[in-house]
Amino acid sequence: MTNDEIPAIDEDEEAAFASELAALVPKGASKVFVAGATGQTGRRVVLELRRRQVAVRAGVRDVKKAQSLGLAVSTPGTSAGPVELVKFDVTSDQAALIEAIGDADAVICATGFTPTLQNLGGLKPGAANAVDRLGTINLVAAAKSAGVNQFVLVTSLLTNAVESGQGDNQNYKVLNAFGGVLDAKHDAELNLRASGLTYTIVRPGGLSNEPPSGKLIVSGEDTLFGTDNESGREISRDQVAEICVEALFQGAADNKVIEIVSSPTAPQLDRSAWFDV
């Protein structure tokens, strides 16, 4: 065959093949910055990273509280060393956020506005906007400046309720009544998706602090709405932490939005298929 007879490379086919190949290649992170590491979800993310032998920089507002929770203690059987506790407030300026991220090559963001009688009563107006919108947007910008490779963001079901035809969903109305928190998370999601960072957005259902009581259900974006006729509406924070960390190790998780709940009646979902949505 002469050079003239060599078929031209189809660039679209080549790109599709490269994408499929990347999804099969095991990934990982050498060090992960966990934003909100003393929160109910964040501390579980730290523990799951430790279990996976990944070095951790834990972003915490109160270092003493983090120490009391045992976050800085070395985990037996791991080679990653003790967790690095770093002072962190998602509402801080860019320089402080970049310093907190440090040399981490991935970020898992588990921060979130927590409704209380004080901030619902108007003593802290705009708390959801400051944390879930502006705070996350600023953290994404800091991650880019710090050279982070991947960003995993925990938000919630129904962040995209209005656009997906669920504006009248009672779950959306009730949750969003807390300072417009779902709308704030929605804007943060859009910002991350447009940032150029490799991302995974995890939208869990109602969060439980109890150990898992059901099997994981993973679905594509805007498919689970927490209605009574759905097979699952809640999920253990332990399972949320697992899937956030697993996103760092599977190419199939790149640039995806997934929605997760659990149900005792759901079929067992193999870990390798968690991001096949």
Side-chain angles (χ1 to χ4, degrees):
M1 178 181 289
T2 67
N3 288 340
D4 292 339
E5 295 174 314
I6 297 176
I9 295 175
D10 187 306
E11 293 184 358
D12 290 337
E13 288 184 5
E14 186 178 31
F17 176 76
S19 178
E20 291 177 9
L21 185 64
L24 297 174
V25 176
K27 301 193 309 169
S30 62
K31 183 179 289 187
V32 179
F33 176 75
V34 180
T38 52
Q40 293 289 351
T41 300
R43 72 184 72 169
R44 289 167 168 83
V45 169
V46 171
L47 292 174
E48 181 64 18
L49 286 166
R50 303 297 294 147
R51 191 183 69 80
R52 296 289 293 263
Q53 312 265 346
V54 178
V56 179
R57 282 177 68 86
V60 301
R61 295 186 69 175
D62 187 331
V63 173
K64 287 186 177 180
K65 177 182 177 181
Q67 290 170 335
S68 71
L69 293 171
L71 288 184
V73 176
S74 298
T75 305
T78 71
S79 58
V83 171
E84 299 175 44
L85 298 180
V86 294
K87 188 79 172 175
F88 167 78
D89 185 331
V90 75
T91 63
S92 298
D93 60 27
Q94 282 288 299
L97 295 178
I98 293 170
E99 182 179 354
I101 293 170
D103 60 346
D105 53 11
V107 171
I108 297 179
C109 180
T111 58
F113 155 72
T114 302
T116 68
L117 292 177
Q118 286 75 27
N119 53 44
L120 289 181
L123 296 180
K124 292 185 179 179
N129 181 66
V131 174
D132 291 275
R133 179 184 282 113
L134 298 179
T136 305
I137 287 172
N138 289 336
L139 184 62
V140 168
K144 290 188 69 174
S145 296
V148 163
N149 298 321
Q150 186 167 5
F151 197 110
V152 179
L153 175 63
V154 181
T155 60
S156 173
L157 293 188
L158 294 167
T159 55
N160 198 37
V162 175
E163 289 80 357
S164 59
Q166 292 290 316
D168 290 329
N169 186 309
Q170 283 301 114
N171 295 314
Y172 167 72
K173 289 182 176 180
V174 170
L175 289 171
N176 206 48
F178 296 118
V181 63
L182 292 181
D183 293 344
K185 290 179 184 293
H186 175 251
D187 289 351
E189 286 187 359
L190 293 178
N191 174 75
L192 176 58
R193 295 173 78 158
S195 69
L197 289 172
T198 298
Y199 68 84
T200 306
I201 295 171
V202 180
R203 296 177 178 169
L207 294 169
S208 167
N209 293 332
E210 300 300 318
S213 60
K215 302 180 188 69
L216 186 65
I217 298 172
V218 183
S219 191
E221 63 180 304
D222 302 332
T223 56
L224 299 178
F225 305 112
T227 58
D228 291 337
N229 62 350
E230 291 178 358
S231 55
R233 301 177 65 183
E234 297 185 346
I235 187 165
S236 168
R237 293 180 191 269
D238 294 335
Q239 291 168 305
V240 177
E242 274 194 275
I243 206 160
C244 285
V245 174
E246 187 64 27
L248 303 176
F249 291 87
Q250 291 198 33
D254 289 358
N255 302 325
K256 281 188 178 173
V257 179
I258 61 169
E259 299 182 340
I260 55 173
V261 292
S262 67
S263 171
T265 61
Q268 185 67 45
L269 183 64
D270 189 81
R271 183 179 293 265
S272 64
W274 280 3
F275 302 99
D276 293 345
V277 296

